[in-house]
Amino acid sequence: MLAVVNEKTIALVTGANKGIGYEIAAGLGARGWSVGVGARDEQRREDAVAKLRAAGADAFGVPLDVTDDESVIAAVQLIEERAGRLDVLVNNAGVAGGWPEEPTTIDLETVRRLVETNVIGVIRVTNAMLPLLRRSAHPRIVNQSSHVGSLTLQTTPGVDLGGISGGYAPTKTYLNAVTIQYAKELSGTNILINNACPGYVATDLNGFSGTQTPEQGAAIAIRLATLPDDGPTGQLFDDNGVVPW
């Protein structure tokens, strides 16, 4: 099994049992990659894997809670045993608070929960997977960010980002800042790390109020996951190109 798997590009997508994450996994699987479906919920995870396999993708389930150290360590061991390396990590898992949500009234536990998943979870998974990524000839890391995390857009008159967000939006700004630091540290390696803005996608994070489909939202992450070796790193992108920090 290891010899067969090693002929394919190996990817892990967190939060891949539904929405944008599922469509990212589907898009990478359609390219002939072996794709790990990272998700906490066992039934949803296995249902997603079955659906992807039915469509012809080489998908496998990865039990993964990005907020839990032991879960992440177990996920590393699973991929180690299955493939011996990781070529692409897509940090897609995330949670949202209320919207709009004013900073003067936000519950501090909400802030902690958002930071734990949207920022610390990305750091936890990325650091744990880095030894496997370093074994890849073409390693890529894609972090799922958002236009609402852009300080430039947030402060540009006339730009409507959906109202005040005292919790979710700042976690994406924090994630953007962390990604820059990773890019600086990894600048002497072949690892490319970028952030993706999927757009306003109809998912359960926003009560399915978005104007784009999950498949459309997955396109930029798939593009960043398949960058050539001389591709960009340490930047924020949407379908139209670079998004200002």
Side-chain angles (χ1 to χ4, degrees):
M1 171 62 74
L2 187 61
V4 173
V5 170
N6 272 340
E7 297 176 2
K8 297 185 175 184
T9 300
I10 313 300
L12 171 65
V13 183
T14 69
N17 63 293
K18 59 182 178 179
I20 300 172
Y22 175 85
E23 294 299 340
I24 294 171
L28 298 179
R31 286 162 169 73
W33 293 15
S34 182
V35 183
V37 176
R40 293 179 298 178
D41 187 283
E42 180 178 4
Q43 189 60 57
R44 291 180 179 178
R45 182 178 65 248
E46 295 311 313
D47 287 348
V49 169
K51 185 178 178 181
L52 288 166
R53 287 178 177 171
D58 178 12
F60 60 98
V62 181
L64 180 57
D65 179 350
V66 303
T67 68
D68 182 80
D69 288 336
E70 292 185 3
S71 175
V72 173
I73 291 171
V76 172
Q77 293 172 340
L78 187 155
I79 295 172
E80 168 82 55
E81 293 170 2
R82 179 180 176 86
R85 73 172 195 282
L86 182 64
D87 299 300
V88 173
L89 170 63
V90 181
N91 287 305
N92 169 77
V95 294
W99 202 292
E101 197 161 45
E102 297 175 343
T104 56
T105 57
I106 193 171
D107 178 68
L108 293 182
E109 285 306 315
T110 296
V111 176
R112 291 188 182 96
R113 177 176 63 87
L114 292 171
V115 173
E116 181 62 45
T117 300
N118 297 350
V119 182
I120 297 175
V122 172
I123 296 172
R124 177 181 287 112
V125 173
T126 299
N127 289 353
M129 295 292 170
L130 267 174
L132 294 178
L133 286 162
R134 292 184 189 277
R135 298 177 192 171
S136 171
H138 312 281
R140 306 287 180 265
I141 302 172
V142 182
N143 295 330
Q144 197 71 279
S145 187
S146 170
H147 292 98
V148 301
S150 167
L151 294 177
T152 298
L153 295 180
Q154 284 281 5
T155 55
T156 299
V159 174
D160 181 11
L161 295 176
I164 297 172
S165 171
Y168 177 76
T171 67
K172 293 305 182 180
T173 305
Y174 191 175
L175 177 61
N176 290 346
V178 168
T179 298
I180 291 172
Q181 301 308 313
Y182 270 112
K184 291 170 67 175
E185 182 179 354
L186 298 172
S187 63
T189 74
N190 61 350
I191 300 175
L192 302 182
I193 179 169
N194 291 286
N195 283 9
C197 296
Y200 189 31
V201 178
T203 69
D204 57 1
L205 281 181
N206 55 38
F208 299 96
S209 62
T211 56
Q212 293 177 277
T213 67
E215 184 176 7
Q216 290 172 320
I220 183 59
I222 293 171
R223 189 185 310 171
L224 294 174
T226 56
L227 285 174
D229 290 343
D230 61 351
T233 191
Q235 296 188 55
L236 177 64
F237 292 91
D238 64 9
D239 287 334
N240 296 316
V242 176
V243 177
W245 296 116

